[in-house]
Amino acid sequence: MPYGQQPGYGGYPLPPRRKPKAGMVFGILIGSMVLIVVVGLLIGQADDGPSASDSPEEVVGQYFDAVADVLNSGDRTDPQATAERLAPYLCADLREDMSEAIEEMGDPDEMTAMYSDEELEVMEGMQFELEYVITDSAVFGDTAIVDVDFTTVVTTEEYGTQSEDSSDSVDLVRESGTWKICDDTSGEFL
């Protein structure tokens, strides 16, 4: 067939492109991690958490250790348990605003209904590793900013290991003498 001509009647059409499943899994991963952190930000009240002697860097480190614990436990599918684990590190204003938002979201069990059975099965089999390095910080009276570099590694039986690097600046405020994360974008690092 000469260059530039279309195949005639009965020609062989190109097979449809298949969307790679690895991209779907990584998308599910990012969505589920953001959901976990957002749910943690949205509901719950502080029972314990950072102490008055903890620096902003220590509070951010404790928070991300708690996020890693949630990702690697059965709690990642339980919004209430996630909230109880993460809420102690959040400022009162953020907990209040977010608890109102979670009420608008409805039943937490219905949130998982947005995923297919296949997607839920993949999510349940995921193993997570969250590594972080605090790269800088600055304190301005009762506010602070902590810069963090992250590596998120996800392993699934079907798709192997995938990782993503990111960075974020986390805002904190001092409440009753204790540093608390008060950054409504702190879930975006995942």
Side-chain angles (χ1 to χ4, degrees):
M1 174 182 325
Y3 178 77
Q5 288 188 349
Q6 301 274 337
Y9 179 77
Y12 297 101
L14 294 175
R17 287 188 76 183
R18 292 183 58 182
K19 188 174 181 181
K21 286 192 173 196
M24 175 189 78
V25 170
F26 205 66
I28 292 170
L29 157 76
I30 298 301
S32 66
M33 289 191 321
V34 169
L35 177 65
I36 288 167
V37 173
V38 169
V39 167
L41 293 172
L42 294 177
I43 60 177
Q45 297 297 318
D47 294 327
D48 59 354
S51 69
S53 63
D54 291 336
S55 69
E57 297 88 349
E58 290 170 323
V59 171
V60 169
Q62 293 167 12
Y63 174 76
F64 289 118
D65 288 343
V67 169
D69 288 346
V70 166
L71 290 172
N72 286 306
S73 72
D75 289 349
R76 74 174 182 244
T77 59
D78 181 349
Q80 185 63 40
T82 298
E84 290 171 3
R85 180 72 173 104
L86 300 180
Y89 303 97
L90 306 176
C91 70
D93 288 343
L94 186 57
R95 287 193 317 266
E96 182 180 326
D97 291 346
M98 297 301 164
S99 65
E100 292 171 7
I102 195 70
E103 288 177 24
E104 293 174 13
M105 291 175 71
D107 184 2
D109 291 334
E110 291 178 14
M111 289 190 287
T112 60
M114 69 178 127
Y115 298 108
S116 70
D117 289 340
E118 178 186 357
E119 292 169 331
L120 289 171
E121 185 177 318
V122 169
M123 288 181 354
E124 287 176 10
M126 289 179 174
Q127 295 176 343
F128 297 92
E129 184 178 334
L130 175 63
E131 297 174 359
Y132 64 90
V133 175
I134 295 174
T135 58
D136 198 12
S137 65
V139 175
F140 309 97
D142 286 339
T143 64
I145 298 173
V146 177
D147 296 328
V148 186
D149 289 340
F150 303 94
T151 300
T152 306
V153 180
V154 180
T155 304
T156 64
E157 186 175 310
E158 188 172 347
Y159 301 109
T161 301
Q162 299 178 18
S163 67
E164 183 174 312
D165 295 325
S166 59
S167 298
D168 194 21
S169 294
V170 180
D171 298 329
L172 294 93
V173 298
R174 193 181 335 237
E175 287 184 348
S176 302
T178 303
W179 290 105
K180 300 284 185 159
I181 295 173
C182 206
D183 183 344
D184 61 1
T185 63
S186 63
E188 292 180 7
F189 64 89
L190 299 170

